[in-house]
Amino acid sequence: MKPSGLFIIFFLCVFALPTLAQRPVDTPQLPVQDTLPAVDTTLSTPPGSYKVSNSGLEAPVVYPARDSTIFDNLGKKIRMYGQAKVTYEEISLEANYIEVDYENQIILASGYPDSSGTMAGFPVFKDGEQEFKAEKIRYNYDTEKGIVYDVTTQQEDIIVHGGMTKFIRGDSRDTTSNDILYSSDALFTTCTLDEPHFGIHSNKQKVVPNKLVIVGPSNLEIMGAPTPVWLPFGFFPITSGRRSGLLFPNDFEYSQTWGFGLRGVGWFFPLSDNFNLELRSDIYLKGTFGLSAASTYRKRYKYNGNIRVGFDSRQIENPSDASISRNQSFSIQWSHRQDSRAHPTNSFGGNINIQTNNYQSRVFNNAQNVLQTQLTSNMTFTKRWQDAPLTFSAAFNHSQNTNNRQVTINFPDLRFQTQTFYPFKRKGTGGNQERWYETINMRYSAEAKNRLTATDTTLFDASTLENAQTGMRQDISMGSTFKVLQYFNISPNVSYQEVWNLRSLDRTFDPTLQIVADTLFNPDDPSDFVVEFDTISFGQINTDTLRGFRSWRRYSAGLSLNTRIFGTLNFRKGFLRGLRHEIRPTISLSYSPNYLDPDLGYYQELQSDVRFPDQTQTFSVFQGAIFGAPPRSGQQFSLNYSLNNIFQAKVYSKRDSTSKKVKLIDNLFISGNYNFAADTLNWSPVSVRTTARFFKGITTLGFNATFDPYILNESGRRINELSINNGGGVLRFDRASLRATSNITVSKLRSIFQGKEEEVVTDVSERQRQRRLNPNREEQDFLSLFENFSISHNISFDWVRREEKTEFMVSTNSINCRGQIQLTKNWAISVGNFGYDFVRNGLSYPSVGFRRDLHCWEMDMQWQPTRGTYTFNIRVKPGTLDFIKVPYQRNNIDGRNAFR
């Protein structure tokens, strides 16, 4: 058994100090004549034949003292004064006074009065990272028993203040014997003050180091005053490393609907060095419960991740008829990351987040979970070949809308693709000029997918599997790019697509009339009645699903020409030093066949009304298929045009006497086409769109507009008459939208007004932890209060031309703020979400609260007025004793009942 650090210090003081005695450091060293005869230093015994005592030390002993070290041969004592210290390897004992009585075999360490008469320099014992302080240490190295008075020690974040501790050394010859410490009048706390704000006080404790602690009756004390909270006994394992143990409840709650309950009580399992499991439960006396299993895993240089599975079952009693109903919801969240060094060609990772019956909105009340309406998942395995430009992937992905509760799952999603390769490129051409055909490139991709679509409550029903969509798509493209006349780029391209499906639709027209009869009675004479017949349908279209293989194909070819045109304007003086306008025009020809051709069988044209034989509707037999249907626009042979405009400015800064470029408009696109193959409406609408950023990215503007060369008829449909021929302009305004998004933070405001670069915070929790470690930092200015606060504003304007009038509307206008306002170093206001929607004139799920730092305690409150929920806590700061709290809250069920 390895000796304890304290025992080794005692051993050193008894055996090492007498044999390595020095004169007191404050005694003058006088010259002394050496009267001893010379000693022959020649070894008479070979070095390897010496016997070393079993009590010998394995390292040097250092024992300085600032004032003096006195050896009392008469009293058989050694006394060390003033910052005395004994060090052996990683073990040290420091005190202003250390005394070794080797006649009575007792060692004593204590403080000593300083020049003002105040006791100082109390014993401090260190063994590696372990440290404790005491008022006095007394040890008998013969009986191997000792007493430590008023000891203060720290294990992890637990600080122990002990009145008196008795130490009994275990028998080193007996492997079952252990060191034992008996303590009395001890206080366990996480408060770092000399006089702690709180603690668990116990009169008797027994500690077996590195094994367990047994505590007698314990009482919670606050500010030195006992409370009514008592524990009859305690049994705590203190073995090093990870271990199984009880997880204390996060909250103690009373609900009018569910009764008394505990939230988050459970057990922790360290299943292996790389894998942990945490089981928790929410339990209420009236039958409501929740279960969750969370696990984290990590293997160095291989992978890491976490998974959480949750189940919630709520029992609700209807007060009107006392009937019982139960709502159940489920959630699974998985995140996995593979280390880039794990494998050179294979990778696996992603995220999964699936829930049923609005699990996160039911279980949690914070704004992030309540306002999240879209859930997505993507877990992918990817294989890349080092010696070939090939990639294969197999994925699971899903999307879920919590508003309409629609769930779409794609599994498996298999993809195989090649990188762009040049089949005609010569090898080993050296410095020879590249020929035009060597620029021809090809690319191939294939995708096979199975899709499940359902609601979150029917996701695991058998009908979901029966209605699954399965298909495969293959794409191959070929293209090239080469220069013409030095400034122009020509890019021909050809593409082919083939799609396979395992089901299709077949529609037929049923001319049967649907007639309903309605009987009208005379209220004065029941025998007098009239029967009226009404036709509610003049035929209907029936749809049948056909199972079996069916495919469709798509072809296209094109040729594009593009170049770049620059225009600049420079100024010698002033703030504005230059303007630059770049135009990127593109003209292209494209062709695609008519997929509405009945011979292809991709579309069906059916009569829809028996009264109008010429009135037909067109349907695709692949409608709703996993890869969609062929285009229904007919034959296309079109001339496409587009202009991309970029505007920049050069501005001069007097601060650093330099010029820099500023983007005025990122991209201003103007595009459209002319279809030569169309019988009518050859010109397409002209689209204009642009994006601009202002105030160093605080505000982003997006503008879209559509102009049409044709006019509309009375029903609002385009007709083959040009606007310019009907008294209008070349283009008729159709619709436009302007969207402005602003996100204001203190960092962005500083970058504008003070010229400082915006601070990018990648880890908010780490930043908050650093602020807690340095709470006394002084705020630089008023804006520093809002360092963790942001305000966002979204507004959208829409213009639509209808019946010779332009209608204007504000479709979106909302402002939101979130973050934390640090009023003082102890007071903070937290805003999970607070906003107002000016269109619907209502708040957007406000969630606000505050936090008060009470040194080793904290007080906080969160309130969600929309749901009527709130939480209030006075608790010990996160750590080993954070289960000590006074919680008070109202859940969303009680909040809903309060509004009734």
Side-chain angles (χ1 to χ4, degrees), residues 424-463:
F424 305 108
K425 195 174 186 65
R426 294 173 296 168
K427 296 182 179 180
T429 57
N432 296 336
Q433 185 175 4
E434 189 179 52
R435 298 179 182 178
W436 68 268
Y437 58 82
E438 293 185 75
T439 62
I440 297 176
N441 59 77
M442 297 184 66
R443 190 182 183 97
Y444 170 80
S445 65
E447 181 180 2
K449 186 185 296 185
N450 182 72
R451 175 174 294 169
L452 305 175
T453 303
T455 63
D456 59 2
T457 55
T458 61
L459 183 60
F460 301 103
D461 293 352
S463 59

Side-chain angles (χ1 to χ4, degrees), residues 267-288:
W267 198 266
F268 177 79
F269 300 91
L271 301 182
S272 69
D273 293 338
N274 306 317
F275 186 73
N276 293 334
L277 177 61
E278 180 181 295
L279 299 179
R280 288 186 180 270
S281 62
D282 304 333
I283 305 173
Y284 295 86
L285 293 182
K286 293 186 178 181
T288 294

